[in-house]
Amino acid sequence: MPVPITPASVPSTQAAHALAVHRCRFVDYTPAAISAIAFPPLPLPAAHSSKFKPAGNSKRRFGTLAVGRANGNIELCEWSDPEHSGQAPQAWAVSKILYGPNPSKVDSLVFTLKHPHLHAHNEVPALSDLRLFSAGGGSELVEWDLAHGTVLRTLNSQGGAIWSMAANPASTALALGCEDGCVRILDLAGGELAHARRFDRVKSRLLSIAWGPPAPPVVSQKKEKTGSESSDDDDDDDDDDEWTDSWLVTGGSDSSLRKWDAKTGRALDRMTMDKARGERTLVWAVGILADGTIISGDSLGIVKFWDSRTCTQLHSFQAHGADILCLAIGPDGGSVFTSGVDQKICLFTHVRFSDPDKTAKKSLRPTSRWVQSTSKRMHSHDVRALAIWPPYLPISSTALRPSSSPLASPFAGIAPILASGGLDASLVLAPCAPASASAQRALNPLATSAVATFEDAYHRRLTYPTGLAPAVSVARSARLVVCARDTGVSVWRITGRARVPSALEVDLLAAEAMDVDGGDDAAGPEREEVPKDVNAEECGYEKLLDMELDTTTNVCASAISDDGRWLAVSDVYEVKLFELLPDSTDDAAGTGSGTGLHPRRVKTLMAALAAHAPRGVPPEGASALGFAPDSGRLVLAGAQSARVLVVDLAARTEHGRPAPRVLRAFAHHARRGARGRVVKRMPARGADPAEDGEEAQEGEEGAEDAEEEGGRAAESSASDEEDEDDDEALHALVTRLAFSPDGQWLATTDDRCRTHVFNLDAVQHHTALPTSPAPVAALAFSPPTSTPGGGSDGGAALLLLAHADATLAVFDVEARRFPAWAAPLAARGVLPRRWTGLHDGVLGVAFEPPATSPAAPAGGGRAALFWGATWLCRVALDAPAGWGGFVKKKRRRDAAAAVPSLPGSGSQNADAAGAEAETNFQLVTRYRLVLRADFLGPGELLVVERPLVDVLRGLPPAFFKPRYGS
């Protein structure tokens, strides 16, 4: 509905330009439930002192977070702070998505190290150092190619459905718990994936599995005592100088835990669970501590602690009211977290008793025990997965070297983070530092509160992502809204024109905005009654198209042309292009289905793309799609090769059918550098932003000119062999692309923080921007407008980039430089804290189109509208340093109070300047879970929302156990 976005504090000079907003909540996008969460393991310490490697010099403190969903997709998230300083308000941000086969799901996720012997203890591995395995309830184990985002290989379990899997601490073996009751060990050494051996069979499904603590090699300990062996002997005994796995534990569907010998494959002992009314108890979760203590969670909601030596029960807690589905162990081994169907996350703490008389050993009384400390509800429905960073390493403290002690750990002083997810599709992060004197001073990496303990700290609910790029796209001229989901696409038309409401309507809409987060039934009627009083026909819509596609994987990219004639949808392996034709038979049929468009597929597109593919490269889909503003060209980026292809859509066949043809293919994102030149960084982000605009590009403009003059011929005649060699050397994924309003320029960016600009008029590469420290989260071209001095910029094209670390950059495409007037935007320390401290990152940016009528109000200089999942922010790009949010409000107020003024003096001008300063970086937080924000025309903004309450309304009822008297 039409809502004014201009805040009340805006000065009168800008208040006249208010935006009328279409607030759309009819898009039925539904995120998939979270079914698995995984963090990468940490390398084991070297067992032999002569071979001990000190901790690496990497600055990484936070590993990659993998989130598996019920639709088969796996999201790979990286820490949003590129410097890994220890605290980032946005925590983990999605960097890559592995699109699962259709249909499929993800039930288990396991990370392992590719080369565990090459990493030092406590060294955080990068994504390129990892292997990822997943299982989705069937008999196939999937290993993913993390570079290309595709399935690398599959392996049949040979025992039916895979119910559980776990990697050993050394990352050399993978254990599978199968339907037939057998544990199967897979060999992972040397990059292999093959069956090694099979354990004895039991008449039970193996629902959970965990490895026991590894044993250090005895040979190495003898060498340390004698010291007589030479280095040659040490090299000969490399195979013996390794950690060995002695036993593991499985939880079954027959009310029992079993302890297995890892060498012989035989069951050593059995631990029986409690039963209710004679029914079998399912052991859904199991974990093992370094001292051998076994932890189990079952379908009765009971958490048990067992002694692995005697296989007897130590403690039992009725902590949950229903099934316990997941379990996680703290990095120090002194805390255990459990959760499940009752949405509760329970914390168990290992408490040691003080014994001043030292009589415990004499009387054989225990000196410590496990207690249930606290419980919190952070989800609305079942919790399916728990994981903690840094991960727990089940080795005793005596096996650690002095330099690998906790004091030398890169995680010292930083609170661990608990990640949880379930049916409500939202990932929740919570600091979980232990409640000790030293942990009270631990840094909260989420910046949610000053305290970092699980009992007292606030948790962070991350918004559900819709993909690397927004799943909703807008056609301005046709006023169409497109939403792509798992395997389908829907198209709506906005039928009304928004207007700025009156003062009375503003009060009604403000009252509605206060209830936007409410999930009760009382909030529903209010949202339905208010539009009736505010001229409901202005926010009308109609559904034109809803189709399901036959795709190999889930949809990864979609786009619609500005005039609404073309629709492109792609999965990982195929791009589908449709010509949208008016459906004239809809009214005559009288079906009432609302379909007003008839899609006609252009089947010759893939043949045209295959003709320009390098030799030996199979057909591929697109990771990013876009249509030129004139709707005459389609630009797509290869999902695996990262090649940018420009496709002409103007040609027609003899029968009037579209005949797309590829004008040119660019392989710049698949190469390690542009013409051998590697640019290392963006403008310096120091305290002096006045010099940043000139410093980064000084001395490079000549090199770029030489690149343009001498490299065009070589670029056009680049061979396929060169493209293949570069693609093997460097794998990249193009994540976003943007067009200039006049259609002359195209900008593309990839996951390696590299941005390229192409000239579509000449169909050639124009320039490459310096590599940014953080990935580009959004980019867009600014329409021509006036310069800060008041003159005209002559139609200069400015490219605006928003990075994951909340910094901005403005690049003059024609001059190939960063303007000096925009240098403060690239300095994080200068930007206002209300912008850099946003909990939700930037998802997109939009510019208001210029008014066609001279009498229409102007947009007010170079102003960009940034948007995230829970906010909108208008930023004046040409604001000079020290104005518009760059100066702290408190200092400005204190300075004004220190200087007395008389009535009628210049203090009124100072107040007006202060009010004007508050308008920049002005946030609007009345919208919740924004899927898209874009302009339909001058002064008319479209905001597509999908509130979490609407998502939860479509889920089954949550578990509720009534209590007497409640």
Side-chain angles (χ1 to χ4, degrees):
M1 64 174 51
V3 183
I5 199 175
T6 304
S9 61
V10 175
S12 59
T13 57
Q14 296 184 10
H17 183 64
L19 295 178
V21 180
H22 282 291
R23 195 169 184 177
C24 304
R25 295 186 176 181
F26 51 79
V27 176
D28 53 353
Y29 178 84
T30 302
I34 296 177
S35 53
I37 301 175
F39 282 111
L42 295 178
L44 290 173
H48 195 272
S49 59
S50 63
K51 296 183 179 182
F52 176 73
K53 294 177 292 186
N57 297 325
S58 175
K59 296 181 180 180
R60 294 177 59 90
R61 292 185 177 182
F62 301 90
T64 304
L65 170 63
V67 180
R69 296 193 176 265
N71 61 353
N73 291 350
I74 301 175
E75 300 161 4
L76 301 180
C77 309
E78 297 289 349
W79 191 250
S80 58
D81 183 9
E83 301 297 331
H84 286 256
S85 58
Q87 194 173 52
Q90 299 172 10
W92 279 276
V94 178
S95 62
K96 182 177 292 188
I97 297 180
L98 309 178
Y99 294 92
N102 177 41
S104 66
K105 62 177 181 177
V106 178
D107 287 337
S108 303
L109 282 177
V110 171
F111 271 119
T112 61
L113 300 175
K114 285 184 179 179
H115 309 286
H117 301 290
L118 300 181
H119 299 277
H121 178 55
N122 278 338
E123 179 184 353
V124 180
L127 184 63
S128 58
D129 302 325
L130 300 174
R131 302 173 66 181
L132 178 62
F133 302 92
S134 68
S139 60
E140 296 292 328
L141 176 69
V142 179
E143 181 179 2
W144 292 88
D145 186 347
L146 299 181
H148 291 90
T150 58
V151 175
L152 179 62
R153 71 185 92 175
T154 60
L155 183 67
N156 193 283
S157 66
Q158 301 179 4
I162 301 174
W163 283 90
S164 59
M165 63 179 181
N168 66 337
S171 293
T172 58
L174 183 67
L176 305 180
C178 301
E179 174 80 16
D180 62 349
C182 281
V183 176
R184 286 168 171 82
I185 306 298
L186 307 182
D187 185 15
L188 304 180
E192 295 293 332
L193 180 62
H195 286 274
R197 60 184 180 275
R198 185 183 66 182
F199 287 9
D200 292 344
R201 179 175 299 178
V202 295
K203 295 181 180 180
S204 168
R205 295 174 179 173
L206 303 183
L207 305 179
S208 56
I209 191 169
W211 291 83
V218 180
V219 178
S220 296
Q221 295 178 356
K222 292 180 179 180
K223 291 182 180 179
E224 290 181 3
K225 293 179 181 179
T226 58
S228 59
E229 287 79 359
S230 61
S231 60
D232 296 337
D233 296 336
D234 292 339
D235 296 337
D236 295 338
D237 296 336
D238 282 343
D239 296 337
D240 298 333
D241 195 9
E242 294 180 354
W243 296 82
T244 57
D245 301 300
S246 55
W247 55 278
L248 52 84
V249 172
T250 60
S253 59
D254 59 347
S255 309
S256 64
L257 286 170
R258 286 179 174 84
K259 180 180 177 181
W260 302 84
D261 190 329
K263 295 182 179 180
T264 63
R266 297 183 178 276
L268 299 178
D269 215 326
R270 177 181 176 182
M271 293 153 276
T272 305
M273 314 298 292
D274 298 339
K275 293 184 179 181
R277 298 183 298 273
E279 297 180 358
R280 291 187 177 184
T281 302
L282 309 179
V283 184
W284 292 112
V286 65
I288 303 176
L289 301 178
D291 59 356
T293 301
I294 302 173
I295 312 163
S296 64
D298 55 39
S299 57
L300 300 179
I302 301 177
V303 179
K304 293 180 178 291
F305 292 81
W306 308 81
D307 186 353
S308 61
R309 297 180 181 178
T310 60
C311 292
T312 56
Q313 179 178 305
L314 298 177
H315 310 287
S316 179
F317 302 93
Q318 183 66 53
H320 298 269
D323 297 51
I324 299 174
L325 303 179
C326 47
L327 179 150
I329 303 175
D332 59 348
S335 57
V336 175
F337 298 86
T338 60
S339 188
V341 176
D342 64 349
Q343 314 109 39
K344 229 177 15 175
I345 299 181
C346 296
L347 169 63
F348 300 88
T349 307
H350 192 234
V351 179
R352 298 187 180 276
F353 303 134
S354 59
D355 188 13
D357 299 333
K358 298 181 180 180
T359 59
K361 292 184 178 179
K362 298 179 180 179
S363 60
L364 300 179
R365 292 181 302 177
T367 59
S368 63
R369 64 165 292 130
W370 286 89
V371 297
Q372 182 178 353
S373 302
T374 186
S375 62
K376 298 173 68 174
R377 273 190 171 91
M378 302 186 296
H379 294 268
S380 61
H381 286 71
D382 304 8
V383 180
R384 296 293 180 88
L386 288 176
I388 293 182
W389 179 262
Y392 176 63
L393 201 59
I395 56 176
S396 60
S397 58
T398 57
L400 296 176
R401 302 295 171 185
S403 57
S404 61
S405 62
L407 297 178
S409 171
F411 319 112
I414 301 178
I417 300 178
L418 174 68
S420 60
L423 287 183
D424 56 6
S426 296
L427 183 68
V428 176
L429 304 177
C432 55
S436 59
S438 59
Q440 295 294 337
R441 298 185 297 270
L443 178 67
N444 184 353
L446 304 178
T448 54
S449 56
V451 294
T453 58
F454 181 75
E455 297 89 339
D456 303 325
Y458 293 104
H459 61 272
R460 168 76 49 76
R461 180 185 294 273
L462 302 186
T463 56
Y464 50 82
T466 60
L468 293 179
V472 177
S473 52
V474 177
R476 287 184 179 179
S477 301
R479 302 177 68 84
L480 299 180
V481 177
V482 177
C483 177
R485 48 190 185 273
D486 294 342
T487 58
V489 180
S490 300
V491 182
W492 294 267
R493 175 183 286 126
I494 305 298
T495 58
R497 297 278 178 178
R499 62 175 178 83
V500 178
S502 62
L504 178 60
E505 295 169 345
V506 169
D507 295 338
L508 294 175
L509 296 169
E512 180 199 6
M514 297 177 61
D515 297 333
V516 70
D517 289 330
D520 298 333
D521 295 336
E526 294 183 4
R527 288 199 295 267
E528 295 177 0
E529 293 175 2
V530 171
K532 296 179 182 179
D533 299 333
V534 191
N535 199 358
E537 71 269 11
E538 293 184 350
C539 55
Y541 66 92
E542 58 178 345
K543 196 169 190 177
L544 304 180
L545 180 64
D546 190 4
M547 60 178 178
E548 291 291 331
L549 304 176
D550 183 13
T551 58
T552 305
T553 67
N554 293 329
V555 173
C556 59
S558 64
I560 188 171
S561 61
D562 188 69
D563 59 359
R565 291 176 51 203
W566 304 99
L567 174 65
V569 184
S570 176
D571 63 359
V572 178
Y573 300 103
E574 185 182 12
V575 181
K576 298 179 184 293
L577 178 64
F578 298 92
E579 185 179 12
L580 302 181
L581 304 175
D583 191 357
S584 58
T585 62
D586 181 47
D587 296 335
T591 58
S593 60
T595 302
L597 292 176
H598 173 66
R600 184 173 65 182
R601 184 180 176 185
V602 181
K603 298 182 179 180
T604 58
L605 176 63
M606 288 304 297
L609 299 179
H612 288 75
R615 289 193 301 268
V617 176
E620 61 176 346
S623 61
L625 291 168
F627 289 93
D630 60 356
S631 304
R633 294 180 180 181
L634 168 66
V635 176
L636 56 92
Q640 302 179 35
S641 64
R643 300 166 72 246
V644 178
L645 289 85
V646 181
V647 182
D648 183 22
L649 303 177
R652 293 276 175 170
T653 62
E654 298 178 355
H655 304 284
R657 294 296 182 91
R661 61 187 183 92
V662 178
L663 299 180
R664 191 162 183 185
F666 300 97
H668 294 76
H669 286 281
R671 299 171 183 169
R672 190 164 296 276
R675 297 290 171 262
R677 179 176 59 88
V678 178
V679 185
K680 295 184 178 179
R681 60 184 180 90
M682 293 287 287
R685 307 191 178 192
D688 189 8
E691 302 177 357
D692 293 345
E694 302 288 339
E695 181 180 356
Q697 292 296 322
E698 185 177 357
E700 295 180 1
E701 186 174 358
E704 292 178 348
D705 293 338
E707 170 195 348
E708 180 181 359
E709 296 294 333
R712 291 177 182 173
E715 184 178 320
S716 60
S717 61
S719 61
D720 295 340
E721 291 81 7
E722 179 183 354
D723 292 344
E724 290 179 315
D725 294 341
D726 292 333
D727 186 39
E728 290 297 333
L730 181 65
H731 301 297
L733 179 70
V734 178
T735 56
R736 292 166 181 83
L737 53 86
F739 296 89
S740 60
D742 57 359
Q744 180 183 1
W745 305 106
L746 167 69
T748 59
T749 184
D750 58 24
D751 58 347
R752 294 183 177 270
C753 310
R754 302 176 305 171
T755 303
H756 291 271
V757 179
F758 304 90
N759 189 331
L760 292 183
D761 291 346
V763 195
Q764 64 183 11
H765 182 263
H766 180 67
T767 186
L769 274 68
T771 305
S772 57
V776 176
L779 74 165
F781 283 90
S782 170
T785 183
S786 60
T787 58
S792 176
D793 58 4
L798 295 182
L799 176 62
L800 175 62
L801 302 99
H803 301 100
D805 60 349
T807 57
L808 308 176
V810 178
F811 184 76
D812 191 335
V813 175
E814 295 181 355
R816 295 188 178 93
R817 65 171 55 246
F818 295 91
W821 56 266
L825 299 174
R828 181 179 173 88
V830 182
L831 295 175
R833 186 166 298 179
R834 63 176 177 270
W835 167 262
T836 58
L838 286 171
H839 294 170
D840 300 318
V842 178
L843 296 180
V845 58
F847 285 94
E848 183 179 0
T852 56
S853 174
R862 294 192 183 277
L865 181 68
F866 295 91
W867 59 275
T870 56
W871 54 267
L872 302 178
C873 183
R874 186 178 183 272
V875 179
L877 303 179
D878 50 6
W883 175 88
F886 295 117
V887 179
K888 290 185 177 180
K889 182 177 179 182
K890 182 177 183 302
R891 295 181 180 177
R892 191 167 56 248
R893 182 171 61 250
D894 295 344
V899 180
S901 58
L902 297 176
S905 63
S907 61
Q908 297 179 357
N909 297 332
D911 294 339
E916 185 181 17
E918 296 178 8
T919 62
N920 204 15
F921 287 93
Q922 186 70 36
L923 290 171
V924 177
T925 58
R926 69 180 62 165
Y927 308 104
R928 280 295 177 267
L929 299 187
V930 178
L931 300 181
R932 182 80 181 198
D934 203 352
F935 288 93
L936 291 178
E940 189 177 10
L941 180 65
L942 174 71
V943 178
V944 181
E945 298 176 273
R946 183 60 171 166
L948 183 61
V949 176
D950 296 343
V951 176
L952 299 179
R953 209 175 270 129
L955 297 178
F959 172 82
F960 175 72
K961 187 175 183 180
R963 293 183 179 180
Y964 177 76
S966 59

